[in-house]
Amino acid sequence: MCRTTGPPRDFPHGHASPCFTINRGVREHISEDGNRVGYGRACAGRRGAPGILGSAGTPRTDRSRDRRDGAGGPGEAAGPLRELAHAADSAGRSGEAGIFSGIELDANTQTVTIYLTDPGQERKFLAAAKKVDPEIDTGLARIRQGKNTRQAMHTARDRLLQARGQLDAGIESVTVPPDGSALHLGVKDVASARRKLAAQPNATRATMFGAVEMVVEPAVGGSDMSRLRDTPAWIAGAALTNTSQTSGYSCTSGVPTRRKSDNRSYLITAAHCFSDGNSVYTGWQGGGRNYIGQVTARANLWDAIAVDTTNTDVTAGREWGGPVNDSFTFALTGSAYSHKGDYVCQDGYTSGVVCDIKVVNQDKSWTGSNGVDHRGVEGTQVNGSTAIRGGDSGGLVFGITGSTRQARCINSWGGGSTIRWTEVIDIYNTWGLQLAP
């Protein structure tokens, strides 16, 4: 049974940024950059060297983690909803951006609510979504009134964050709801923040926010989150350490990627775990550990760093499954954004797989414990269980559709049943990456 040789640690290193992912189901095949490339049956897994990679669900004799996976729950029935949501979101990010506010999934009613500032253009919008994916079931869509477009909300959010120091209102996070109703500001002191925001001249507020309203509410308590001696090929869910650590582990490997231009291998994890140029190792076990690679790139907004593994071995699109003493790995079959109402799991080394995490805020900006700003998604473990623990930082967040696992992002922050992650698609786009095969 693999266990740490020391206590879990919360990323003592100084930077931060976010990350990840999309769906390949029975009817679809979507590439890691979000483009539909064809149709076919779901990918059951990829074969690798015996005892090293194996096919989906096969034992890896050189690693150990508990077989129980923790997967399942409401998210497993969300396949058609996700297909519709991904297509609608793609349309809303491109030609229909002028009327698009956001999307919300509801697994209980099996519907996808699409918020438009002009609901009268429902047929036009759904036709645009159909062009993205002709196989979607638009009968699952519910069109509702959106107040502001997502573009307008993002402009107001960005201006607010730029002026945060000037406002001095103790703003910890900013949430953009899918209905475009108002920016939700998470603050340390609600009364003080309201006073300071109200004191701003009308002209300043008009220039900064336009017609976008603000709701001030208490910030959720939490902090940045930080498996054991892994071997190549490098995959998601393994314990990580830096040069100076002499025992245990501090963070978790996230998305295994390849650069599109030359197929160079990079392992993505949380930026707040390691400094620029750091050498990254596996966790300690049996008095030793294995060198993985060096930090060569940083994207603080996505709380992400890229670890170049070229000198040690390649990355592979797989992850450990279940608690930390499991010897099974699973294939990752695509990448996608996360939408409000969807369900995901997270796979940090300390926690193992934690599922039934519901997306409650799909567009969240916050400041990490080290003062660095990030942008991503917020979720809640619906049973009230702990969603993320120290040492889970950088670990994979993924969705489940049938027997396939879809990369979504990397763990960044959490407290109690609340967890925040950054989106993998944003990380891919920043560095020209894609999910490793």
Side-chain angles (χ1 to χ4, degrees), residues 370-395:
N370 54 7
V372 177
D373 292 339
H374 309 304
R375 186 177 302 159
V377 178
E378 184 174 81
T380 298
Q381 209 290 328
V382 296
N383 300 315
S385 300
T386 300
I388 186 172
R389 296 170 173 83
D392 287 344
S393 274

Side-chain angles (χ1 to χ4, degrees), residues 82-396:
R82 289 172 177 163
E83 293 166 3
L84 174 58
H86 296 325
D89 183 68
S90 180
R93 290 175 183 269
S94 53
E96 303 304 315
I99 60 170
F100 180 67
S101 300
I103 292 170
E104 184 170 355
L105 283 72
D106 190 330
N108 293 322
T109 62
Q110 286 291 291
T111 58
V112 175
T113 300
I114 303 171
Y115 294 95
L116 304 178
T117 56
D118 183 0
Q121 297 194 49
E122 171 181 353
R123 295 177 66 178
K124 178 175 177 288
F125 184 90
L126 293 179
K130 272 280 193 180
K131 288 183 179 180
V132 176
D133 181 358
E135 298 297 315
I136 60 172
D137 182 0
T138 57
L140 301 175
R142 299 293 180 268
I143 305 299
R144 297 292 182 266
Q145 180 71 54
K147 185 170 185 178
N148 297 287
T149 66
R150 185 158 62 184
Q151 283 184 332
M153 296 290 282
H154 283 180
T155 297
R157 174 202 63 198
D158 294 346
R159 289 174 177 170
L160 172 67
L161 292 174
Q162 290 171 2
R164 185 168 44 185
Q166 171 192 335
L167 295 172
D168 190 30
I171 299 171
E172 184 274 336
S173 65
V174 182
T175 300
V176 179
D179 62 359
S181 55
L183 292 177
H184 288 245
L185 314 185
V187 301
K188 300 175 183 177
D189 186 327
V190 172
S192 174
R194 286 174 174 165
R195 285 195 303 269
K196 292 180 177 180
L197 291 170
Q200 298 299 315
N202 289 337
T204 299
R205 283 187 286 178
T207 300
M208 190 177 299
F209 311 119
V212 175
E213 298 178 1
M214 290 177 292
V215 174
V216 179
E217 55 195 18
V220 177
S223 62
D224 297 337
M225 293 286 117
S226 104
R227 258 171 179 195
L228 197 27
R229 189 176 180 176
D230 206 355
T231 57
W234 307 115
I235 67 173
L240 302 179
T241 58
N242 64 32
T243 304
S244 62
Q245 283 182 259
T246 58
S247 64
Y249 65 97
S250 58
C251 288
T252 305
S253 61
V255 192
T257 70
R258 301 283 181 88
R259 192 161 60 189
K260 293 180 180 179
S261 61
D262 58 6
N263 206 39
R264 196 177 184 94
S265 291
Y266 293 91
L267 188 63
I268 308 301
T269 189
H272 66 257
C273 294
F274 301 97
S275 298
D276 292 343
N278 269 180
S279 293
V280 179
Y281 297 79
T282 66
W284 285 87
Q285 185 180 41
R289 59 181 178 169
N290 299 322
Y291 175 64
I292 298 175
Q294 186 176 35
V295 177
T296 58
R298 173 179 302 275
N300 279 330
L301 183 61
W302 312 130
D303 194 14
I305 52 170
V307 180
D308 187 345
T309 72
T310 304
N311 293 330
T312 57
D313 211 321
V314 298
T315 51
R318 301 189 69 86
E319 65 151 333
W320 287 110
V324 297
N325 55 341
D326 196 320
S327 59
F328 284 72
T329 65
F330 296 83
L332 300 173
T333 57
S335 307
Y337 283 113
S338 300
H339 303 291
K340 185 174 180 179
D342 201 357
Y343 286 80
V344 299
C345 306
Q346 75 91 357
D347 190 18
Y349 183 81
T350 301
S351 298
V353 171
V354 179
C355 287
D356 291 340
I357 297 172
K358 184 177 183 179
V359 178
V360 295
N361 293 305
Q362 83 296 334
D363 196 336
K364 190 90 172 182
S365 299
W366 71 93
T367 302
S369 304
N370 54 7
V372 177
D373 292 339
H374 309 304
R375 186 177 302 159
V377 178
E378 184 174 81
T380 298
Q381 209 290 328
V382 296
N383 300 315
S385 300
T386 300
I388 186 172
R389 296 170 173 83
D392 287 344
S393 274
L396 182 71

Side-chain angles (χ1 to χ4, degrees), residues 57-79:
T58 33
R60 288 187 59 172
T61 57
D62 62 328
R63 312 185 181 196
S64 59
R65 292 194 25 189
D66 189 298
R67 180 173 307 178
R68 292 168 301 162
D69 185 278
E76 282 203 270

